[in-house]
Every structure is written in structure tokens, then in C-alpha cells.
Amino acid sequence: MKKREKKEHQWNIADTVTALRIAASAVLLFLPLQTAGFLAVYTLTGLTDAMDGWLARKTKTASEFGARLDSMADLLFYGVLLLRLFPVLWKRLPVEIWYAVAVIILVRLAAYAAAAIKYHRFSSLHTWLNKLTGAAVFLLPYVLAVFPGVGYCWAVCAMAFASSTEELLIHLCRRDYRADRKSIL
């Protein structure tokens, strides 16, 4: 029986675009909120998030490494976003939203824990609901620049709860790990 060799990952254009998102996320730490510079770099991070997966598929360079790099870039971006926007949101939003956010975080952590236990790896799935939630969260600074944003934040919380719950259920119900799983269905 022939032993299967593990193919070494080759850095590619999609990985470069993801790395650009990581660098842009770091730059956001130092730019003043709701300025043209912040929104320009912020928009760049969103474009790179949309482009990297598309590029990987089009160039046939999609890989486990690229999916992990993308997930790490997403976590860094959302961490920076939380760090920068949290003080503004804390002042604007009612306490009930923060309770909802705490529940969402717990469900999301349960999904990560379930994947870690079941698959012995970190897993953040690229489901349609996760993508929709990511897009809604991404639009938050633009919405807050124009509106108070309370109703919008409730809608984002509902989407985030649904996507976190779906990911948890996928990890609990499915036997195999597939990072590109689009839905529980």
C-alpha cells in the first residue's frame, strides 16, 4: 500500500490578501474612529475578507492553511473592532443588548469548545449565517455614523445568536469536520 505524502502549502495570492487584512486590522488600532482614514482602512479589511476566499477558489489554491489564516484574520479583526467600538457602544446601547451579547459569546465559545473536543482542533465554520452575521457586524461603524443604531444592533444580535447556535449544532450533530460547511441542512 502506497503511503500518502502530505503536500506542503505554497503561499499564494489569497494568503497575501488575508495577510493584508491582518495588517489593516492592526492599523485600525491607531486610527481615530469615524474619520475618513479609519473608514478607508476599515473598508479595505472588508474587501479583503470578501476577496480572499473568492481568489482561493478561482485560482484553485484553497487550502486548510488558508482557511485557518482566514479564521485567525477574522478573529483579529473582530477583536480590534470590539476593542475600538466597545467604548462607543457601551455608552449608546441599553444594558439588555449587553446581556444578549454575553449569551451569544457563551454559545459561540461552546461551539469552539465542542469542535476542539470532537475534532481536536480550533474550528470556525464559514456557514451562510456566519457570513451574514459578519457582514452585519461589518456594517456597524457605517450605521453608527448615521443612526443611533439600537434597532440595528438588536437585529445583529439575533443573527449572531442564530449563527452561533447553528455552528454549535453542526459540531454536536455532524460526525465529520468540514470548514466550508454552508449550513446545518
Side-chain angles (χ1 to χ4, degrees), residues 54-81:
W54 179 83
L55 278 170
R57 287 185 297 280
K58 288 295 180 192
T59 59
K60 296 183 179 15
T61 55
S63 67
E64 179 70 25
F65 174 83
R68 285 185 180 185
L69 187 64
D70 181 62
S71 292
M72 288 189 308
D74 288 345
L75 287 173
L76 175 64
F77 173 68
Y78 288 118
V80 168
L81 186 60

Side-chain angles (χ1 to χ4, degrees), residues 31-39 85 88 92 140-141 143-146:
L31 295 174
L33 281 175
Q34 296 180 336
T35 62
F38 180 89
L39 291 175
L85 287 180
V88 173
R92 276 193 191 186
L140 197 55
V143 171
L144 292 176
V146 179

Side-chain angles (χ1 to χ4, degrees), residues 27-48:
V27 169
L28 287 174
L29 285 169
F30 305 102
L31 295 174
L33 281 175
Q34 296 180 336
T35 62
F38 180 89
L39 291 175
V41 173
Y42 185 80
T43 301
L44 175 68
T45 62
L47 292 173
T48 59

Side-chain angles (χ1 to χ4, degrees), residues 11 39 44 48 53 71 74 89 102 116 122 126 135 144 161 169 180 185:
W11 191 268
L39 291 175
L44 175 68
T48 59
S71 292
D74 288 345
L89 294 174
F122 170 78
H126 298 147
L144 292 176
F161 181 75
L169 291 172
D180 64 343
L185 303 174

